[in-house]
Structure formats: structure tokens, C-alpha cells
Amino acid sequence: MNIVCLDMEGVLVPEIWIAFAEASGIPELRRTTRDEPDYDKLMKWRIGILKEHGLGLSEIQRTIETIEPLEGAKEFLDELRSLTQVIILSDTFTQFAAPLMKKLGMPTIFCNTLEVAQNGEITGYKMRIANSKLSTVKALQSIGYETIASGDSYNDLGMIRASYAGFLFKSTDKIKADNPEIPAYEIFDDLLTAIKKAVYETM
């Protein structure tokens, strides 16, 4: 039995924080997990910038409503889900993900939760579990699944390495250069071919 675990931002949809950086005119918010491996450090930094500029959840959600999946992402996901089970493992938040999941056909997503004050200020966040992507992959393996994983950032490397097959997708040159043993793809057709091969091997 197998199950495919996919990252969301950068793989299926554009990076939310980059889109919001452009919409808000705050270039510092372009920094993502592709740039900063320490997620806690990154989120605390983001929350500080939002507070400094008086921005909250509603402003980010308005930007998210305008985001469309990457070209070909829904078709890729539809075909993959016709072959096997797929879970999106993301370090995003339930308050961000909902409209994007509708546009992708409501796949299953495991993510985190923002802590939001009554005035809409983002005051913190709650991780679903420590090292959420790797922990989830290991949990799936413990109940009999072979996992196949793909992502683009530092926080995806653990689940990719721990899986039966793992792939980088639309990653940075630095991450690819630092991890030459991980196959890397740039277009959905190539990633789909690689995942299909692993799916058939684990049936």
C-alpha cells in the first residue's frame, strides 16, 4: 500500500507569503522556507512584521482569495488521486488553506493553525505536531503505508528522505545542489511519471 505526500506552496500553488509581500508592498515578507530552514524563527519574524505594519488575518485572506493554483496543478493532482491516495502536508494554516483547497478539488490537507486575536491580529501559531511533515510520514509508515513524497523547500527534505521515493519539485538551485541525490523536476508531467513509477512499485 502506498500514499503520496505533497507539499502545497511552491508545488501546487504559488507561495502565499510572496503573493502577500507583493500585494502589501512589504518585500521582506518574500522570505519563505526556501530561504530560512528554521520555521519557528521565520514565523516569529513574519508576525513581528505584520504587527509593525498593522496588518492581520483579513488582509492576508483577501490576497489568498486572488491566488490560483499553478498551471497544471489541479490536473496533476486529479490524475494522481485517480491512482492512489494523496495527502497534502503543509506548514501553512487552516485559515490560509481553505480557499485554495476548493480550487484544487478539496484534497486532504494536514496543516497548522494560527492564533488570532478578536481584532484579527495574528498573535502566534500552533503546530499540529513537531516536525509535522516527517512525523506524519513516519506515522503513515507505522500503519503499513509506503510513502512517496515531493516538495520544494528545506522543511520538505525530511519527509522526502524518509520515504520509499522522494522528489524535489520547482526547488531552488541551492537546495538542489546541496541534495544532489534527490531527483529534481520542474514540470508536472515529469513529476507525475516519477511518482507513477514509485506507486506501481509499491502496489
Side-chain angles (χ1 to χ4, degrees):
M1 291 182 289
N2 57 65
I3 193 163
V4 175
C5 300
L6 299 174
D7 179 33
M8 183 181 78
E9 293 179 68
V11 173
L12 298 172
V13 303
E15 293 279 353
I16 291 169
W17 288 98
I18 290 177
F20 186 62
E22 293 173 356
S24 65
I26 306 172
E28 300 96 313
L29 288 173
R30 292 182 60 87
R31 192 168 180 80
T32 71
T33 51
R34 289 178 169 208
D35 311 299
E36 175 53 68
D38 187 330
Y39 189 72
D40 184 63
K41 178 180 177 182
L42 178 63
M43 275 307 301
K44 287 177 178 176
W45 180 76
R46 286 168 169 168
I47 290 169
I49 291 176
L50 293 176
K51 185 176 180 64
E52 177 185 338
H53 290 269
L55 297 170
L57 178 60
S58 62
E59 288 84 2
I60 300 173
Q61 287 177 325
R62 281 198 291 272
T63 296
I64 292 170
E65 290 287 349
T66 71
I67 294 174
E68 296 295 329
L70 295 175
E71 185 176 353
K74 186 176 185 300
E75 294 78 9
F76 161 78
L77 197 55
D78 287 346
E79 184 164 353
L80 199 52
R81 292 169 73 192
S82 75
L83 299 175
T84 189
Q85 298 297 307
V86 179
I87 298 176
I88 297 174
L89 301 183
S90 176
D91 279 338
T92 193
F93 308 96
T94 54
Q95 295 96 330
F96 289 2
L100 297 170
M101 292 304 98
K102 289 179 183 177
K103 293 178 181 180
L104 288 169
M106 294 305 291
T108 298
I109 182 169
F110 292 175
C111 59
N112 307 307
T113 305
L114 288 169
E115 296 171 346
V116 184
Q118 287 189 341
N119 65 357
E121 179 185 348
I122 297 172
T123 58
Y125 68 99
K126 184 177 181 181
M127 297 293 283
R128 180 174 53 82
I129 190 172
N131 299 314
S132 59
K133 297 182 182 187
L134 177 58
S135 296
T136 301
V137 159
K138 288 183 174 179
L140 291 167
Q141 292 168 349
S142 76
I143 57 173
Y145 284 97
E146 292 280 11
T147 59
I148 301 160
S150 182
D152 69 324
S153 298
Y154 286 105
N155 61 341
D156 299 310
L157 294 174
M159 73 170 180
I160 288 172
R161 289 200 182 101
S163 293
Y164 172 83
F167 312 101
L168 288 168
F169 186 65
K170 295 183 181 294
S171 190
T172 66
D173 289 341
K174 176 169 176 46
I175 292 174
K176 288 186 286 187
D178 289 346
N179 300 274
E181 75 283 3
I182 301 176
Y185 301 104
E186 298 298 322
I187 62 174
F188 283 114
D189 284 349
D190 291 344
L191 179 61
L192 183 62
T193 297
I195 292 177
K196 278 184 176 178
K197 181 176 184 292
V199 166
Y200 293 135
E201 288 173 354
T202 53
M203 281 184 169

